[in-house]
Structures are given as structure tokens and as C-alpha cells.
Amino acid sequence: MQQLTKRSFLRILFAVASLICDLYLLGDVSADEPNPALKVEVVSPGSSTSAIRKKALTDLPLDKVSAELRPKADDILKSVSMFRRMPTLSFTTEPEVYNFFLTHPDVAVSIWKVMDISNFEMWQTGPTNYEADSHDGSIGTVEVLHSTPEQHLIICEGSFKSPVLPKAIKARALMHLQPTFQKGADGQTVVTHSLDLFVSFPSQPIDITAKILSPVSHAIADRNFRDVSLWCAMMNVAMSQQPQWIEHVAGKMENVLEVRRSQLLKLALHMTVTTRRRAIEQQTGQSEVSLDQIAAALRRSGISNSSNSAKEIIPVRAEQSVEAVNGKR
């Protein structure tokens, strides 16, 4: 067996810490050159102070977790190696887009692979369960313990295997995501969300090293949270303005249920119709916009002639599209 050097040990520890963030934050997105039209604002910076940690523990909706699943959360909270409250961020996205990818993280991961952003893979194994593989020796599982429009409690468990280690390094994390939505004067919706992260390393040597290296781990987690937020804002724009691209991506997705493709397309069509209707209302001052007006706007933009699926926009009401999206989960 190869000798485990200090440098190799640190690299492996960083990989495990990154995996925990990646399992539900969907990987490591590069956003060095974001679209100027896309913006993620920092409402408040990340923090790991004892006061914030105490408040985060109080905010956990543990009383809403089933008796069967509650011990999983309790076990992590009994031996927390690292805590981080990510920066509170706000950006423009409609609730339908945000909640679709939150409910179906495997779809988001599959799109990332189509976009050549990451080799990270995730697939659904149960109503609220997922498995993940980063193809670098890191594997893990995700389970949603509790979910409401305002609060989402998720557990992630991961391990990292390496030829230089006698056994895999394991880690567990409890995540508490809290989004709020507010519609602006322009008709667009802004989401403001925060995420509390509790990580537990069962191994004492790893636990000690993780605490020493926590400033670096915190920076990685903060960046990943911002990058995922930026990606969500980008998908909101794509669904509103580029349904042809969404159709192209949906056709290449892997490791997702077949129904997710049609749900993604229907959501994109709904978003396109809603965006065009809002634009016409603002331009004309009309409170009611007819489907004929929307169809004309779509033809002028070239959408209805360049996408087979987009042709379905014309006869379908936006409300029907949303019902179709939410019909199967």
C-alpha cells in the first residue's frame, strides 16, 4: 500500500468536504464569467459563530420530522464537526423554476452533465431519496427528511475511497434550506434563501483536521452555494427566453425518469408564455392579454418556428402547463 503523505491526506479531506457540499448543492459550478444580466446579491455574509450556530439549531424543524427519520438527524447533531451558515443570497427566479430543481435535483445534475459543467451524476432511488457519484472516488446518498415551501431539511451521507487509504473516509451532513419569494414591481419574482450546514465526521482524526481546515472548507461551501444560485438564475432566463435550448437539453439528459423530460419542457413553455404575457402587459398597459397577442410575440421572436415543442405554446394556457408539471412528481 502506498504511504499516505500529509499532502495526500489534506487533498482527500478536501474531497470529502467538497462531496458533502456537492451532494445537494449539485457539484462545483464555475461561474468566473457570469452573464452580466444575471446577478446574485449577497444579503448577508456566511458565518460560523457560536451565536449563529445556536440560532440555527433552534430553527431546525425537527418536530416536523417523522419518528422513523428523526434519529438520523439527531445522530449528526450529537457530533457536529463543522457548522456553516452559507451567505444569504437573493436573485431573480420564478418559484416554479426554483422548486422544480429543488424537488428534482437529479434533473439539475443531468443538465450540468449535458452542459459539460461536471461529471457528477445523481439518480432517484425513492420518493425523496437519491444516490450520487462524482467519479473521483466519492459516492453518497441524499434523503429529504422534511419539505415545505419555506423549509427543506436534507441529509447527505458520503464517502471517499482512495488506494492510499485502508478504508473509506465517511462524512454525514444535515442541511436546512430556507427560501422566501417576493414579487417585484416589474412582475418578476426574487428569491432570498439561506442554508445551514451541519457536518459530522465519525473518525476523530478526520474530525480534528476538519476543524483546523474549516476556514478553507467554509470558503468552498460559500462559493458552491453562490454558484448554484447563479445557475438557477440562468435556468430561469433560459426557460423564459430559450425554450428551444431547453428542448435540446431535455433530449440529452441521462439518469432521470422519462416523465421528467416532459415536465421540464412543459415548465419551459409555461415560463415562456408567462414572460411574453408580462412583457405585453407592461408595453400596452393592458390587464388582460389574449393568446393571439402572445402567439404573435412568439412568432416575431422566432420561437414558434424554430422548436417543435414550442409550437404547443400557442393553444396551451399557462395555468394548464403548471398543472401538467405538478401532476407527476
Side-chain angles (χ1 to χ4, degrees):
M1 180 178 294
Q2 301 178 44
Q3 182 180 3
L4 180 58
T5 65
K6 180 179 179 181
R7 182 175 181 181
S8 297
F9 178 77
L10 295 179
R11 180 182 65 81
I12 291 168
L13 182 59
F14 283 138
V16 175
S18 181
L19 169 66
I20 287 298
C21 297
D22 291 353
L23 280 176
Y24 205 76
L25 296 184
L26 311 181
D28 183 11
V29 183
S30 177
D32 295 332
E33 298 180 1
N35 187 321
L38 302 176
K39 182 170 60 174
V40 174
E41 295 186 355
V42 178
V43 178
S44 59
S47 176
S48 302
T49 65
S50 57
I52 292 294
R53 176 172 170 169
K54 183 177 180 180
K55 178 66 165 57
L57 285 168
T58 303
D59 291 342
L60 289 173
L62 296 176
D63 59 323
K64 305 297 183 182
V65 179
S66 69
E68 178 184 0
L69 298 176
R70 174 69 182 266
K72 294 184 178 183
D74 290 338
D75 286 345
I76 294 174
L77 296 175
K78 288 176 183 177
S79 57
V80 175
S81 306
M82 184 178 71
F83 164 76
R84 183 65 172 173
R85 170 165 287 181
M86 310 295 187
T88 299
L89 306 174
S90 68
F91 54 95
T92 299
T93 187
E94 295 305 316
E96 298 93 331
V97 175
Y98 184 95
N99 288 325
F100 180 80
F101 290 117
L102 179 61
T103 305
H104 308 300
D106 53 326
V107 175
V109 169
S110 185
I111 292 175
W112 284 26
K113 191 170 184 179
V114 173
M115 296 172 66
D116 291 327
I117 293 176
S118 172
N119 288 324
F120 198 73
E121 290 186 330
M122 179 181 286
W123 53 95
Q124 188 170 1
T125 57
T128 57
N129 300 80
Y130 301 85
E131 292 184 6
D133 189 341
S134 64
H135 297 288
D136 64 357
S138 303
I139 58 174
T141 62
V142 175
E143 183 173 12
V144 180
L145 303 184
H146 172 70
S147 183
T148 67
E150 298 82 21
Q151 297 190 90
H152 306 272
L153 197 61
I154 307 109
I155 277 188
C156 302
E157 298 188 34
S159 64
F160 182 84
K161 297 179 181 178
S162 171
V164 301
L165 291 174
K167 58 182 180 179
I169 295 179
K170 297 182 179 180
R172 298 176 297 165
L174 180 67
M175 294 182 172
H176 185 205
L177 178 67
Q178 300 180 78
T180 59
F181 299 91
Q182 184 172 3
K183 190 174 289 293
D186 60 356
Q188 297 188 82
T189 301
V190 173
V191 62
T192 300
H193 65 179
S194 62
L195 179 70
D196 291 333
L197 174 67
F198 302 85
V199 181
S200 172
F201 291 100
S203 168
Q204 186 176 11
I206 299 296
D207 179 278
I208 295 173
T209 306
K211 291 177 180 177
I212 295 174
L213 299 175
S214 59
V216 177
S217 301
H218 293 165
I220 294 173
D222 289 356
R223 188 197 66 183
N224 280 1
F225 190 50
R226 175 192 174 276
D227 290 346
V228 170
S229 300
L230 183 62
W231 181 84
C232 186
M234 182 276 292
M235 289 302 296
N236 184 72
V237 173
M239 288 195 172
S240 302
Q241 302 180 10
Q242 296 294 332
Q244 314 98 308
W245 181 79
I246 297 296
E247 181 182 20
H248 171 75
V249 167
K252 291 189 172 185
M253 290 194 307
E254 300 176 351
N255 299 322
V256 298
L257 299 176
E258 190 60 34
V259 68
R260 300 290 179 249
R261 302 180 198 278
S262 60
Q263 290 176 337
L264 181 65
L265 290 174
K266 288 174 181 176
L267 177 57
L269 298 180
H270 159 66
M271 291 302 303
T272 302
V273 170
T274 300
T275 301
R276 294 301 189 277
R277 177 183 284 123
R278 181 169 58 236
I280 295 172
E281 289 173 350
Q282 293 174 347
Q283 292 170 2
T284 64
Q286 295 177 262
S287 57
E288 295 291 336
V289 177
S290 69
L291 287 177
D292 288 338
Q293 288 175 291
I294 297 174
L298 292 173
R299 293 190 184 97
R300 286 195 297 273
S301 67
I303 290 179
S304 62
N305 293 324
S306 59
S307 171
N308 292 330
S309 295
K311 295 178 182 178
E312 301 175 13
I313 296 175
I314 309 305
V316 176
R317 291 182 58 82
E319 292 79 4
Q320 294 172 333
S321 297
V322 176
E323 291 174 359
V325 170
N326 295 329
K328 294 184 178 180
R329 300 183 69 80

